[in-house]
Amino acid sequence: MSECVLFLENPTSTVVEHPMPSASSVQRSRSAWSLVLCALMLLLFTGCASVKPDPLPSWNEGSTKQAIIAFVAKVTTPGTPAFVPLPERIATFDNDGTLWAEQPFYSQGLFILERVKVLAPQHPEWRTKEPFASVLKGDVKGALAGGDKAIFELVAATSMGMSTAEFDALVRDWIATARHPRFNEPYTAMVYTPMVELLAYLRANGFKTFIVSGGGMAFMRPWTEKVYGVPPEQVVGSSGKTQFEILGGVPVIMRLADPGFIDDGPGKPVGIETHIGRRPILAFGNSDGDLQMLQWTAGGSGARFMGIVHHTDAVREWAYDTDASVGKLSPATLDQARARGWTVVDMKRDWAVVFPFQAPQAAHR
Amino acid sequence: MSECVLFLENPTSTVVEHPMPSASSVQRSRSAWSLVLCALMLLLFTGCASVKPDPLPSWNEGSTKQAIIAFVAKVTTPGTPAFVPLPERIATFDNDGTLWAEQPFYSQGLFILERVKVLAPQHPEWRTKEPFASVLKGDVKGALAGGDKAIFELVAATSMGMSTAEFDALVRDWIATARHPRFNEPYTAMVYTPMVELLAYLRANGFKTFIVSGGGMAFMRPWTEKVYGVPPEQVVGSSGKTQFEILGGVPVIMRLADPGFIDDGPGKPVGIETHIGRRPILAFGNSDGDLQMLQWTAGGSGARFMGIVHHTDAVREWAYDTDASVGKLSPATLDQARARGWTVVDMKRDWAVVFPFQAPQAAHR
């Protein structure tokens, strides 16, 4: 659309560039030019009107898509009561299960399990020490039976006690080479095309888009800019404690084996307040861990949009909610969402595409 | 400059809009137009070249100003080895003593002392309880004799145990009404004009400007956007712990009376890594508390700019460094800065203006 408008603004500007002609030929050529130009303008005008591109082509037509577009139109129309000035257009998105797949297990979990295997030769004691022993036997459930303590031990052994630069390099290497167990695609292709579109659509309308995830901040930042268009400084997540040190004259930031901030559940509004300092006007999540972020967003004054991605497509992705061990969405959360008029995205119904490597399809129910 | 260029791109575009003239008049008017246009273009061209505005008019000419402008030119010129892509143009600034005055005492300290006086009637026990008793007697030194513990008690009693919204309102009210004890100006006028210019100049060259201050994050965010053009999400500072709660159906974030993160000294690189996740290519500070931020910035690869504001102007501002109780800049830090080629701003020599309410003056030594 913008290119058409640009061209139409000055459609006749090239005419004067021709060498000086005779009087009649000027008149003839002018009439001819006028006709051509009129035809061209008409063509362009109708063309512009008819090709106005769909900002969300991967979303099927319906109430969900309409709700998103209506909200964006409402808050970006100056002079209306719901108008929101540019700096306040803050949108926050959960990552796992909202922007990319979280089944069969969180990607960061798979990264950690792989690191345990890679590091095992340097730790012969792991063969008999939990939770490592179970991981090395391929028994993830057994490893996680130790609860939060076991998870922290796995994180500490694989992701802490090194500099931020070293961890960054490990993540970059893994994300460039690892493949998803079901789809055999790189994890950066396991993103939801409609959500990537939504991020871009919001930014095109002056929103600043943030990720607010329970996942590790340092695990996301190396690739979110390329994959989602979200720069590191707009990625909020969980993080362990770090410490500035000068090692052999070189300043480094060390990742201490010390739990820090968990950006999940009630931690999400805290993370938002700490990192952004402004309440979002739009938030999207998919599980109980996003409830407080949605409540915090809903609690502000003025127009608000709260969205939940409901995983309903067992064929193209996964169908899960109440009983899921990863990404649990309990009936209480879903009931609250519906009662308060939040938008529940039915993945199967609302999305024409799920992953970028799949062919688009129309609504199929 | 850009408007001139825009106009010059298509200087003849209006010519064809006139009604159809006779052959000779076409020729005559074309020649006339050509002359007029040539003259106009020449005028515009030389005009553009000569009125190119000084981006840092409050900085006196000299090596400091030259160093800043040369650095910005270097990192923003595509195709050169020092070129830095837009997303990596991160600049971090200390606040107290770097962007605004910190004498006779940190502004936030003055805010806290005033809050103690306002709240005293509700706390009769403060009359005999330190550090409050000293504050109420006007003996700040006595109050601070209790060290970090006393400072935390003052912060907790005046700035914690309330919601983020309540604290925000207190700060907005104070910043709108309080006056500086020496200059009798609002604190938002106690900012350094040359540094505000520098922030704008960097942003005009594609930098993202951040504040990284030992001061309270929530104390700065309510006014930094208006005063510095730095939005809340680009303000990093110290913060206590907070907690999400739903009180009577309303979601709030409570400021707990619990110390959290101190964004000073070695905390500054940690704050930068946590909030930005990218190493700055330019950093500015003024005291020992900024040393590690400058070291962290200097430690990256490629072109870097490290700046220190040296308070040398007892007339227009204050002259202090080694022995200051607020904003101490020790000889070791200054020596390191000079040895490593960091830029030390001599406030008296380099700044034509200090505060916006003062008349400009040329270098006076």
Side-chain angles (χ1 to χ4, degrees):
Chain A
M1 183 75 183
S2 62
E3 269 182 47
C4 289
V5 170
L6 221 70
F7 189 78
L8 278 172
E9 276 177 351
N10 222 331
T12 59
S13 63
T14 54
V15 175
V16 294
E17 305 296 332
H18 295 281
M20 211 57 77
S22 75
S24 61
S25 80
V26 165
Q27 216 142 14
R28 260 205 317 279
S29 91
R30 288 222 156 180
S31 307
W33 269 111
S34 299
L35 260 173
V36 170
L37 282 168
C38 279
L40 202 63
M41 282 178 70
L42 201 72
L43 204 75
L44 279 167
F45 191 79
T46 51
C48 285
S50 65
V51 299
K52 185 175 177 177
D54 179 352
L56 299 172
S58 302
W59 292 71
N60 288 322
E61 297 305 323
S63 59
T64 302
K65 182 171 180 173
Q66 276 167 19
I68 294 170
I69 291 176
F71 173 78
V72 170
K74 193 161 65 172
V75 298
T76 57
T77 307
T80 62
F83 178 74
V84 176
L86 272 175
E88 292 165 29
R89 293 186 201 159
I90 302 290
T92 57
F93 288 80
D94 168 55
N95 185 38
D96 298 302
T98 300
L99 296 180
W100 76 349
E102 63 185 353
Q103 302 294 351
F105 196 51
Y106 298 119
S107 303
Q108 189 170 2
L110 299 170
F111 162 80
I112 288 168
L113 297 179
E114 194 191 290
R115 292 296 311 154
V116 169
K117 286 172 193 158
V118 169
L119 295 169
Q122 299 163 42
H123 296 274
E125 75 280 12
W126 284 359
R127 268 176 292 172
T128 54
K129 191 185 166 194
E130 290 298 349
F132 306 98
S134 290
V135 171
L136 294 174
K137 276 181 240 148
D139 175 16
V140 177
K141 233 177 213 166
L144 298 183
D148 285 350
K149 187 176 164 285
I151 292 173
F152 178 71
E153 279 184 72
L154 291 170
V155 171
T158 59
S159 310
M160 291 167 158
M162 65 183 86
S163 73
T164 51
E166 285 167 312
F167 185 69
D168 185 88
L170 287 181
V171 173
R172 282 178 198 274
D173 182 53
W174 184 83
I175 207 88
T177 55
R179 296 255 158 183
H180 188 274
R182 173 174 161 194
F183 291 96
N184 195 34
E185 293 282 343
Y187 286 91
T188 50
M190 297 301 299
V191 299
Y192 305 133
T193 299
M195 297 304 284
V196 175
E197 264 174 26
L198 176 56
L199 288 168
Y201 172 55
L202 291 171
R203 288 193 295 266
N205 281 280
F207 281 76
K208 221 169 182 175
T209 53
F210 288 81
I211 291 171
V212 178
S213 167
M217 197 150 67
F219 179 76
M220 296 181 280
R221 284 172 164 177
W223 51 268
T224 54
E225 186 155 38
K226 197 173 165 192
V227 174
Y228 301 134
V230 177
E233 62 269 26
Q234 285 162 225
V235 176
V236 182
S238 297
S239 57
K241 287 201 178 122
T242 61
Q243 184 172 286
F244 178 76
E245 292 175 18
I246 295 190
L247 297 180
V250 178
V252 295
I253 295 177
M254 293 302 293
R255 295 169 57 84
L256 307 182
D258 194 342
F261 172 64
I262 303 296
D263 189 54
D264 199 34
K268 289 205 175 190
V270 167
I272 288 170
E273 187 66 10
T274 305
H275 284 258
I276 311 177
R278 263 199 264 245
R279 201 192 291 238
I281 63 166
L282 178 149
F284 244 105
N286 79 299
S287 74
D288 291 355
D290 301 312
L291 179 60
Q292 289 85 353
M293 172 170 76
L294 296 166
Q295 288 171 331
W296 178 239
T297 303
S301 60
R304 311 266 124 191
F305 187 99
M306 283 60 63
I308 288 180
V309 174
H310 192 192
H311 295 265
T312 52
D313 195 326
V315 177
R316 297 184 298 175
E317 207 242 5
W318 287 267
Y320 63 97
D321 45 29
T322 312
D323 300 321
S325 59
V326 167
K328 180 176 174 168
L329 178 64
S330 63
T333 302
L334 215 43
D335 286 353
Q336 184 171 163
R338 287 183 176 130
R340 303 184 66 180
W342 300 353
T343 298
V344 178
V345 175
D346 180 333
M347 190 181 269
K348 188 170 176 181
R349 182 195 63 194
D350 291 328
W351 287 0
V353 191
V354 175
F355 298 118
F357 52 83
Q358 291 170 340
Q361 64 183 64
H364 49 84
R365 65 171 177 194
Chain B
M1 184 72 184
S2 60
E3 271 182 45
C4 289
V5 170
L6 220 70
F7 189 78
L8 278 172
E9 278 177 350
N10 222 334
T12 58
S13 61
T14 54
V15 176
V16 293
E17 304 296 332
H18 296 280
M20 212 55 83
S22 77
S24 60
S25 80
V26 164
Q27 214 140 16
R28 258 203 319 278
S29 89
R30 287 218 158 186
S31 307
W33 269 111
S34 298
L35 261 172
V36 170
L37 282 168
C38 281
L40 202 64
M41 283 177 70
L42 201 71
L43 204 75
L44 279 167
F45 191 79
T46 51
C48 286
S50 66
V51 299
K52 185 175 176 177
D54 180 351
L56 299 171
S58 302
W59 292 72
N60 288 322
E61 297 307 324
S63 59
T64 302
K65 182 171 178 172
Q66 275 168 18
I68 294 170
I69 291 177
F71 172 78
V72 170
K74 192 162 66 173
V75 297
T76 57
T77 306
T80 62
F83 178 73
V84 176
L86 272 175
E88 291 165 30
R89 293 186 202 158
I90 302 291
T92 57
F93 289 80
D94 168 55
N95 186 38
D96 297 303
T98 299
L99 297 180
W100 76 348
E102 63 186 351
Q103 301 295 350
F105 196 50
Y106 299 118
S107 303
Q108 188 170 4
L110 299 170
F111 163 80
I112 289 168
L113 297 179
E114 194 191 291
R115 292 295 311 153
V116 169
K117 286 172 193 158
V118 170
L119 294 169
Q122 300 163 42
H123 297 274
E125 76 280 11
W126 284 0
R127 269 176 292 172
T128 54
K129 191 186 167 193
E130 289 299 350
F132 305 97
S134 291
V135 171
L136 294 174
K137 277 181 241 150
D139 175 15
V140 176
K141 234 177 211 162
L144 298 182
D148 285 350
K149 187 176 164 285
I151 293 173
F152 177 71
E153 278 184 70
L154 292 169
V155 171
T158 59
S159 311
M160 291 166 159
M162 65 183 88
S163 73
T164 52
E166 285 167 312
F167 185 69
D168 186 88
L170 287 180
V171 173
R172 282 177 198 274
D173 182 53
W174 184 83
I175 206 89
T177 56
R179 295 256 160 182
H180 188 273
R182 173 174 162 194
F183 290 96
N184 196 34
E185 292 281 343
Y187 286 91
T188 50
M190 296 302 299
V191 299
Y192 305 134
T193 299
M195 297 304 283
V196 175
E197 264 174 28
L198 177 56
L199 289 168
Y201 172 55
L202 291 171
R203 288 193 295 266
N205 281 280
F207 281 76
K208 221 169 184 176
T209 53
F210 288 82
I211 292 170
V212 177
S213 167
M217 198 151 66
F219 179 75
M220 296 181 279
R221 285 174 165 175
W223 50 269
T224 54
E225 186 155 37
K226 198 173 163 193
V227 174
Y228 300 135
V230 177
E233 63 270 24
Q234 285 162 224
V235 176
V236 182
S238 297
S239 58
K241 285 199 180 125
T242 59
Q243 184 172 288
F244 178 76
E245 292 175 18
I246 295 191
L247 297 180
V250 178
V252 295
I253 296 177
M254 293 302 293
R255 294 169 59 84
L256 306 183
D258 194 342
F261 172 65
I262 302 296
D263 189 55
D264 198 33
K268 289 205 175 191
V270 167
I272 289 170
E273 186 68 11
T274 305
H275 284 258
I276 310 177
R278 265 200 263 245
R279 201 191 292 237
I281 64 166
L282 179 150
F284 244 104
N286 78 299
S287 74
D288 291 354
D290 301 311
L291 179 60
Q292 290 84 354
M293 172 170 76
L294 296 166
Q295 288 172 331
W296 178 239
T297 303
S301 59
R304 311 266 122 189
F305 187 100
M306 282 62 62
I308 290 181
V309 174
H310 192 193
H311 295 265
T312 53
D313 195 326
V315 177
R316 297 183 298 174
E317 207 242 5
W318 287 267
Y320 62 97
D321 45 29
T322 310
D323 300 320
S325 59
V326 167
K328 180 176 175 170
L329 177 65
S330 63
T333 302
L334 214 43
D335 286 352
Q336 184 171 162
R338 288 184 175 130
R340 303 183 65 180
W342 300 353
T343 298
V344 178
V345 175
D346 181 332
M347 192 182 269
K348 188 170 176 182
R349 182 194 62 194
D350 292 327
W351 288 0
V353 191
V354 175
F355 298 118
F357 52 84
Q358 291 171 340
Q361 63 183 67
H364 49 86
R365 66 174 179 192

